[in-house]
Amino acid sequence: MVSAQQKSQVYLDVTKPIEDRVENALSQMTTKEKVELCYAQSKFSSKGVSRLGIPEVWSADGSHGVSDEKIWDEWGGAGWTNDSCTAFPALTCLAATFNPDLSLLYGKSIGEEARYRDKTVLLGPGVNIYRTPLNGRNFEYMGEDPYLASRMVVPYVQGVQSNGVAACVKHFALNNQEISRGEINVNLSDRALHEIYLPAFKAAVQEGKAWSIMGAYNQLRGEHCCHNDLLLNKILKNDWKFDGVVISDWGGVHNTDQAAKNGLDIEMGTYTNGLTTNGNFPYSKYYLANPFLKGIKEGKYDIALLNDKACRILRLIFRTTMSADRPFGRFVSPEHSEAARKIASEGIVLLKNDNQFFPIPAGKYKKIAVIGENASRSMVVGGGSTSLKVAYEVSPLQGLKDKYGDDHIIYTLGYASGPSLYGREEPSKLNADSLLAAAIEVAKNADIVLYVGGLNKNYFQDCESGDRKSLNLPFGQDKLIDALLKANKNTAVILLSGNAVAMPWVDKVPAIMQGWYLGSEAGNAMADVISGEVNPSGKLPFSFPKKLEDNAAYSFGKLSYPGDSINQYYKEDILVGYRWFDTKKIAPLFPFGYGLSYTTFVYSSPAVDRVEAKADGTVKVSFTLTNTGKSDGAETAQLYVSKPASAVTRAAKELKVFKKVFLKAGETQAVTLEVPVSSFAYYNETKSAWEVESGIYTLFLGASSRDVKGKVDVKIQ
Ligand code: BGC
């Protein structure tokens, strides 16, 4: 006989199935206790059930490192001395590795840090699609291609969650700009929604089995995404069978009725705008607090709505803090530094390298001028909610000094940008002309110049809550680069940014490297690649346009981007990123999937295992890849598909598979890429379903979206 007491303890029994524990805990809770699970009690926590020993839910930003402890009801740091984390590279860098194994390592490492810090939920990763190079938050995301983002997000989520910490995939969905982010109403076709903007979320949910997801600030078709019936009830919870928790973005909830009925589970940050304002409202006034409780008591809301939310939150707690399989985590360990360094060095993209400017072995030059503010500036601070308090950060300047010796490096700022402030800009007080003049002097007297510039984490740069104002480099850098080139033609440009920039000097500089925001190990990773100890293998996760007008979203005018502050229309539809450049035959400055190596690779012509296949079949594309140069290296082979004759508009190319292959100097490997024919489908708006058209498809094997090495046709029955 099971006693009443034993029965009431089922939820505590870690050997019992989670669903039994959930049901058991729920059966012992009052309505008020259930409602209390559904809204914040502090800036980054919500209640558990203290009477039953069910812990609170504690979350922390973000995707690149676990942020410091905050004051209970303020955005400011609480001043603890045990919470300085490892900063991992920004997600654009991770995407540029094209290496899902590194994404697993990333997720596992950052998840360990979150676990050590006792977090229930890590507020990341972000997978909003790169629609415009002006979006201030692109650095937090995984680029412009839904397939690449999908392949990279899944292992990240799995890695985080292997620590008994929930990943919170964000921002669901269509938060693709920061201008008017809190209210802009996004209008787009079902095809663009399903083919471009949702796949990475779907993969995170269905393959990654994400335990939570964060609603976006903006609206979709007239409803805010944090309580959007189509997104949350229909697509996420019904179609995708998501059994986790929908957490609002901080301040993204606006209405009790919709919050109650349209799929939101936990309301956070209401009456604030994310980081700057503090409303003087008690948490009990949140939309899902007293107003929701009142509505339930009055019979306005079905108790089933509340039970569903409470079950999801309990499930999250049993999966994390009340799980028997929860490891203990670790914080700022040497393994985390090693992981950060590896990811950073594999994500760096070599864009141009005339006359083998790079690599620069130690001892080759006596005097190396390092010029540019980004060589010495902290890149982990600023940018909004991803700003980090770190245990350490090796700057590019420090990394280069360590590699080449202090005596061989001369550093000068060149330009200055002012402090990283949130929500406002403040120019530097330093004199730009004097900085320029000093830089020219240094450049003249050096063997070579390594210019380290780009964007930074200031407002209107790569920073939350604002978009960039132009594609150009800020703070007078174009003028500075021109002047440096006149002073010393051996000037290479290294850009740190999470976004594409215009490069009016592109033809004049011998070498260009795209360095991203690289985290704690930035300088070491950069020096590894510059010195040749690591052979660069990063590829661009988004296209660099020659000019802003070439970007699809921008080219359709204000209603397309950034909207009229009320509405916006995604007029480019499915033709986002390289899909636009390729279909419209616009040459980008640097294409999606592009990146050089210190060695060279030769592809053989691709062969297919079948020339005809069924809609549920698989096509195998085989070829050999040879490293024909003198150093070991890695190449990411990419397979794109096109459907020349189609009932609907099709992109000229869509990425379907990629594989990063490591090859020793001189080595040849046979490579086979398997493509499921189901991935050729388009989203049929009339049927609201995916459909594989019959007919001829062309498969392009390439080293980038533009550098096609061979193609084969396949007929689908
Ligand atoms: C951001 C989220 C972040 C949250 C908590 C919001 O401003 O949009 O990405 O997780 O703040 O800091």
Side-chain angles (χ1 to χ4, degrees), residues 43-44 59-62 70 75 123-124 137 140-141 170-171 175 178 181 214-215 217 248-251 273-275 384-386 422 464:
K43 278 281 176 283
F44 285 94
S59 60
D61 281 306
K70 305 293 184 200
W75 295 107
L123 301 173
R137 292 189 88 172
E140 295 187 50
Y141 306 138
K170 64 195 192 182
H171 306 90
N175 183 181
E178 291 298 283
R181 69 173 180 180
M214 188 188 290
Y217 279 131
S248 76
D249 201 342
W250 272 231
N273 73 351
L275 273 182
S385 56
T386 48
Y422 190 65
E464 189 177 334

Side-chain angles (χ1 to χ4, degrees), residues 471-592:
L471 189 65
N472 296 332
L473 281 177
F475 318 124
Q477 293 179 77
D478 286 336
K479 184 176 157 200
L480 173 60
I481 293 171
D482 271 337
L484 294 177
L485 280 165
K486 283 197 187 109
N488 189 331
K489 60 180 185 354
N490 289 321
T491 295
V493 174
I494 298 156
L495 295 170
L496 306 187
S497 75
N499 256 318
V501 299
M503 302 185 194
W505 30 260
V506 67
D507 294 328
K508 292 187 260 174
V509 290
I512 308 171
M513 216 175 245
Q514 173 61 32
W516 320 114
Y517 300 116
L518 297 176
S520 286
E521 288 286 326
N524 289 334
M526 190 136 267
D528 286 344
V529 173
I530 290 176
S531 66
E533 272 157 57
V534 170
N535 191 350
S537 62
K539 299 263 189 178
L540 290 179
F542 51 81
S543 316
F544 276 52
K546 284 187 177 158
K547 51 185 194 305
L548 198 49
E549 294 69 29
D550 291 347
N551 167 257
Y554 191 86
S555 73
F556 286 100
K558 192 176 164 201
L559 264 188
S560 170
Y561 172 83
D564 63 4
S565 84
I566 299 164
N567 277 297
Q568 74 177 147
Y569 299 84
Y570 284 16
K571 296 191 182 180
E572 74 285 8
D573 200 38
I574 56 158
L575 299 180
V576 176
Y578 67 88
R579 288 166 163 77
W580 171 260
F581 286 98
D582 287 0
T583 310
K584 299 293 172 187
K585 301 195 168 45
I586 300 168
L589 182 61
F590 294 107
F592 173 85

Side-chain angles (χ1 to χ4, degrees), residues 63-66 85-91 105-106 108-111 113 335-341 343-344 380 388 390 517-521:
S63 316
H64 305 152
V66 185
C85 70
T86 307
F88 295 91
L91 293 193
L105 176 67
Y106 193 129
K108 197 176 154 286
S109 309
I110 194 172
E113 299 228 340
E335 290 82 0
H336 293 175
S337 300
E338 209 179 292
R341 184 170 181 164
I343 296 159
V380 297
L388 292 174
V390 292
Y517 300 116
L518 297 176
S520 286
E521 288 286 326

Side-chain angles (χ1 to χ4, degrees), residues 21-52:
R21 297 174 70 194
V22 168
E23 199 191 305
N24 180 254
L26 193 75
S27 70
Q28 299 179 56
M29 288 168 63
T30 64
T31 302
K32 185 159 178 287
E33 283 171 335
K34 291 178 195 170
V35 171
E36 280 172 350
L37 291 179
C38 303
Y39 62 94
Q41 61 166 1
S42 77
K43 278 281 176 283
F44 285 94
S45 73
S46 52
K47 283 201 171 91
V49 194
S50 54
R51 180 176 64 84
L52 297 176

